[in-house]
Amino acid sequence: MALPPLAPETRNLIDGVLCDASNGNTFDNLNPTTGELLGQAADGTKDDMLRAVEVARRAFDETDWSLDHDFRSKCLQQLYEGILEQKEQLRSIVVHEAGAPVSLTGYMHVDDPVEHMKYWADLAASYEYETRMSNIPFLGRENGRLLRREAAGVVGAITPWNVPLYLNIAKIGPSLAAGCTTVLKPAPDTPWCATHLGKIIAEKTDIPAGVVNIVASSDHLTGEILSSDPRIDVVTFTGSTATGRRIMECAAPTVKNVFLELGGKSANIVLDDVDLAATLPMAAMTCVHGGQGCAITTRLLVPRSRYDEAKEILKASFEGWSYGDPQDPANLQGPQVSTRQQERVLDYIEKGKEEGATCLVGGGIADGDLGEKGCFVKPTLFVDVDPEMTIAQEEIFGPVLCVIPYEDDDDAVRIANNSVYGLSGSIQTNDVQRGLDVARRIRTGTISVAGAQWFNVDTPFGGYKQSGVGRENGVMGFEEFLETKIIAIPADAEVK
Ligand code: NAD
């Protein structure tokens, strides 16, 4: 697939104007595949962020953005069409700055999220914001009740770098559709996936000035303004659990609604009835996009009775796995997003070896330029992993699979649930009822049985335990950006 030459918008969007940082500074955007400089992004300052918050507050309080559902729907439809027009440019940006394999951009990285904007445009208009509840008696009188949902206010949205376009759309789509105004802060590794949306918003839509603001910055702490400023009502965050905790802390003094999509350590349980030769090669999919996906199943639980057979099949599949240049459609694994992430993954691999797991395939930096100039890590297969080892407990966010043997279904459930995370998972079986019985016992927000998949814009997504708070996508995700108001009225009142 030939990508168009990069032509990204590199400025921030504040109060409807594409602008450089207030001090004129920029920061480097590097290509993780080659280590080369792609270009610059405006390096938003704390003053820029404070101004974005101020204008978002003003737009919420002083315009009828939150009340005019049809106008919002029209604006989001314009945004959808603008994104659609720029789809190939966005594809080029995602592949270059995030190292996303081009073959995967047809799915979560580009084509799906573009269509998601259409879903949010439609939902803005079709959602039932006010419904009548049944009448209730009180002190001898009948009372009517209106259940009304209203925009929650000003939203601070903070996104990571792993699926940046998807997540930027997953934040601004529903928050704007619900009638909130929004300030988006993308990760410093992937600024253009956000700033380019800013250009489309400014040039192709009637979204009023201040309703949506985009502030890229090299300084992570610029984001803290969004979790602490009293003018923000809701923080929606996707990223690591450590940062999620910090966001909760910063949001506590002003008691903000905090909505968090955090890390995962999901288990893929292979029940003993499956054809291992047909099923296990798929386990190498852990390495997709360098393993940089929160819902990827990174722990593979196999029955001890078939452990040796499983190890052989897995070894062959990891050895045959193709990785490298993300622009080559044969590769489903590109680089880690940065040298910092590459080093983090390599540290975990060393830890796994130190703690006594057996590294059957890979286990280090990729050979030659891939590893030296680019940020590649070899697809890595660990077997003989004890469920308590660091590599079985902590999120690695790299192309690393941990294989853990289990005794019976109860043992598999116990190991799968032995995690501070609870994001996703899967059960491999030919017996769907048995798989369902196991799935019902796993404490995660999503789970797949017998190869079925759940991802869609109307599927609520999120985690149990330390994988997060709240749900993204679907009507449930939309409602994260609404407040609930009950209005009591005389029982016989007509309501328009
Ligand atoms: P991160 O937590 O380091 O950063 C995420 C974002 O938070 C970035 O924009 C960063 O600049 C910002 N940030 C950092 N410190 C901040 C602070 N104190 N206040 C406000 N903002 C701050 O995460 P990352 O390394 O960029 O992303 C990887 C993590 O994201 C992984 O743990 C992964 O599982 C998680 N993730 C979760 C989901 C999900 O939906 N559950 C999806 C994608 C990624």
Side-chain angles (χ1 to χ4, degrees):
M1 191 183 291
L3 297 170
L6 279 171
E9 175 56 60
T10 64
R11 292 168 295 175
N12 288 329
L13 175 69
I14 304 177
D15 206 9
V17 178
L18 295 167
C19 53
D20 294 322
S22 52
N23 60 8
N25 286 354
T26 58
F27 66 101
D28 292 348
N29 193 2
L30 299 178
N31 184 344
T33 303
T34 59
E36 286 161 3
L37 180 67
L38 292 170
Q40 302 290 319
D43 197 355
T45 62
K46 292 202 167 121
D47 283 347
D48 292 330
M49 187 58 89
L50 287 167
R51 196 159 66 82
V53 173
E54 181 188 325
V55 300
R57 184 76 254 170
R58 187 207 63 213
F60 187 80
D61 293 339
E62 297 177 14
T63 72
D64 64 356
W65 176 254
S66 66
L67 302 173
D68 192 340
H69 310 317
D70 290 337
F71 175 63
R72 289 204 308 279
S73 181
K74 186 189 110 186
C75 289
L76 292 181
Q77 178 67 31
Q78 292 169 333
L79 181 52
Y80 163 63
E81 283 158 18
I83 296 174
L84 200 57
E85 217 174 85
Q86 286 291 310
K87 190 156 90 168
E88 295 316 309
Q89 180 56 221
L90 287 164
R91 195 184 313 281
S92 191
I93 291 173
V94 173
V95 171
H96 281 94
E97 71 176 7
V102 74
S103 310
L104 295 177
T105 60
Y107 181 50
M108 265 194 88
H109 282 286
V110 179
D111 297 73
D112 281 350
V114 169
E115 290 309 313
H116 292 180
M117 190 51 87
K118 173 99 181 78
Y119 172 85
W120 300 120
D122 293 344
L123 191 58
S126 65
Y127 184 78
E128 214 173 335
Y129 292 89
E130 214 169 81
T131 53
R132 190 130 187 188
M133 296 177 70
S134 61
N135 293 342
I136 47 165
F138 186 70
L139 295 179
R141 175 186 162 169
E142 279 293 292
N143 299 275
R145 291 171 299 167
L146 283 183
L147 172 64
R148 182 176 157 78
R149 307 301 306 270
E150 297 180 343
V154 182
V155 172
I158 304 169
T159 50
W161 40 261
N162 61 332
V163 267
L165 182 66
Y166 161 67
L167 286 166
N168 292 337
I169 289 176
K171 303 291 186 205
I172 63 174
S175 63
L176 296 182
C180 295
T181 61
T182 304
V183 180
L184 171 68
K185 193 210 82 67
D189 303 282
T190 50
W192 295 344
C193 279
T195 51
H196 204 69
L197 288 178
K199 180 186 174 73
I200 300 168
I201 290 164
E203 294 179 355
K204 300 286 178 181
T205 77
D206 295 328
I207 296 178
V211 162
V212 53
N213 305 276
I214 296 175
V215 184
S217 172
S218 64
D219 180 1
H220 293 295
L221 295 187
T222 313
E224 260 187 35
I225 292 171
L226 296 180
S227 48
S228 57
D229 193 292
R231 294 168 293 183
I232 299 276
D233 299 289
V234 179
V235 191
T236 171
F237 168 77
T238 299
S240 62
T241 295
T243 307
R245 281 189 204 105
R246 175 73 188 144
I247 284 174
M248 272 185 138
E249 250 174 62
C250 292
T254 50
V255 196
K256 295 186 198 317
N257 283 330
V258 177
F259 161 40
L260 306 171
E261 296 293 349
L262 308 176
K265 192 76 193 175
S266 302
N268 182 2
I269 303 176
V270 180
L271 296 185
D272 61 10
D273 63 288
V274 301
D275 174 354
L276 293 186
T279 307
L280 284 187
M282 288 297 285
M285 293 292 274
T286 300
C287 303
V288 152
H289 189 26
Q292 302 168 117
C294 52
I296 290 177
T297 49
T298 52
R299 293 181 295 155
L300 183 75
L301 276 50
V302 296
R304 193 178 292 281
S305 56
R306 305 186 65 188
Y307 190 42
D308 290 341
E309 187 192 346
K311 282 195 280 195
E312 271 193 35
I313 297 166
L314 288 165
K315 182 166 182 285
S317 105
F318 267 69
E319 284 171 346
W321 177 255
S322 153
Y323 71 106
D325 182 359
Q327 292 196 46
D328 178 344
N331 295 326
L332 293 181
Q333 179 189 340
Q336 309 314 117
V337 79
S338 61
T339 46
R340 184 178 74 102
Q341 284 299 315
Q342 182 190 34
E343 281 160 16
R344 185 170 176 268
V345 174
L346 293 171
D347 285 349
Y348 272 116
I349 290 173
E350 287 315 305
K351 190 87 178 158
K353 292 175 183 170
E354 275 165 34
E355 290 186 4
T358 307
C359 185
L360 215 50
V361 183
I365 192 166
D367 297 329
D369 280 355
L370 283 183
E372 299 300 334
K373 293 189 174 153
C375 304
F376 290 81
V377 173
K378 285 180 179 164
T380 297
L381 176 65
F382 274 110
V383 297
D384 307 329
V385 177
D386 182 279
E388 299 300 334
M389 284 178 183
T390 306
I391 57 168
Q393 286 293 329
E394 295 186 13
E395 184 180 50
I396 299 173
F397 233 51
V400 181
L401 180 65
C402 296
V403 184
I404 304 173
Y406 69 83
E407 306 303 331
D408 55 22
D409 289 9
D410 285 349
D411 193 34
V413 169
R414 194 180 48 74
I415 295 170
N417 285 335
N418 174 16
S419 172
V420 297
Y421 296 111
L423 192 58
S424 195
S426 52
I427 319 285
Q428 311 300 330
T429 180
N430 293 315
D431 179 345
V432 175
Q433 188 54 55
R434 181 179 171 204
L436 204 48
D437 290 343
V438 173
R440 288 185 171 128
R441 298 169 65 193
I442 303 297
R443 300 199 62 226
T444 60
T446 50
I447 188 150
S448 135
V449 174
Q453 80 90 32
W454 41 261
F455 179 71
N456 201 51
V457 66
D458 67 356
T459 306
F461 173 72
Y464 285 31
K465 301 192 262 181
Q466 294 185 34
S467 286
V469 178
R471 292 292 177 272
E472 192 148 80
N473 286 339
V475 173
M476 231 179 230
F478 177 76
E479 289 174 341
E480 298 279 352
F481 299 104
L482 295 173
E483 282 283 12
T484 301
K485 177 184 279 177
I486 298 291
I487 308 178
I489 50 172
D492 55 2
E494 292 286 324
V495 174
K496 279 192 264 177

